[in-house]
Amino acid sequence: MSIPLKEKVVKELEEYLKTDLYQVPRKQIMFNGILNDGSTVTVCTPQTKLIPRGCGRIELTTVQVSILNNADHSILAFRLEDNRVYYLDFRNLKPYLTEEAAYYSEKRGITLWQLYIWNFCIQILRNKNHLAIYPNRLTELGDYYLSL
């Protein structure tokens, strides 16, 4: 089962957003760009294989969340096996990334959130709520991006 290539997903987003995206220095899955209205956009493209439970598991670090927070617009493109990409406006995920849901990884020395990407929703570890999402739909990003 293949995971969509990061470069392919970035290219699709460049065409959709009508802008060029450039890799953030020392951040392999993060890209920045300037939209037609002059606002900034940051894209994060983590990947995961499916775990035995049948979902993908992705971790977002406090550093990644901070970078996403500092852009005018931020997009997550979760790349999963079975050639699926889940596009999400970061504003829709941000309320779920609470302090209570974060945990400190002693092994890695960082604080992060663990996300489970199911077929039709995202579950954040230590948060009882779920966020509905569907694969391979750039239109899930919302009306703002369509108007650019």
Side-chain angles (χ1 to χ4, degrees):
M1 291 189 257
S2 64
I3 297 174
L5 294 174
K6 169 180 54 177
E7 295 78 11
K8 180 182 177 211
V9 171
V10 169
K11 184 74 171 159
E12 287 175 355
L13 282 165
E14 285 179 327
E15 290 172 10
Y16 184 76
L17 299 170
K18 301 174 186 81
T19 191
D20 293 323
L21 295 170
Y22 303 95
Q23 190 170 347
V24 174
R26 298 182 313 276
K27 305 292 178 204
Q28 292 182 4
I29 61 170
M30 305 218 49
F31 299 84
N32 285 331
I34 305 291
L35 300 175
N36 287 338
D37 66 357
S39 61
T40 60
V41 63
T42 296
V43 174
C44 183
T45 62
Q47 74 173 25
T48 183
K49 293 183 177 184
L50 298 178
I51 61 174
R53 292 172 52 193
C55 63
R57 182 177 61 212
I58 289 176
E59 297 173 339
L60 289 178
T61 68
T62 53
V63 171
Q64 291 167 327
V65 168
S66 176
I67 292 169
L68 292 165
N69 264 331
N70 288 329
D72 295 322
H73 306 282
S74 297
I75 297 171
L76 293 158
F78 299 121
R79 300 177 292 125
L80 276 71
E81 280 184 309
D82 289 341
N83 217 23
R84 291 182 282 165
V85 180
Y86 290 83
Y87 298 98
L88 181 65
D89 189 319
F90 179 67
R91 293 177 299 186
N92 297 331
L93 181 65
K94 188 177 172 182
Y96 298 92
L97 302 178
T98 63
E99 191 173 315
E100 295 80 24
Y103 74 95
Y104 181 77
S105 170
E106 301 248 352
K107 181 179 176 183
R108 294 171 56 193
I110 57 173
T111 300
L112 47 85
W113 290 269
Q114 196 165 75
L115 287 66
Y116 294 98
I117 315 297
W118 297 92
N119 283 335
F120 300 104
C121 72
I122 296 175
Q123 174 189 6
I124 294 87
L125 184 66
R126 299 185 177 147
N127 189 320
K128 63 181 179 179
N129 298 312
H130 296 82
L131 180 62
I133 193 167
Y134 301 95
N136 305 324
R137 293 162 105 181
L138 274 170
T139 56
E140 291 290 313
L141 294 175
D143 294 337
Y144 173 80
Y145 298 103
L146 294 175
S147 65
L148 293 174

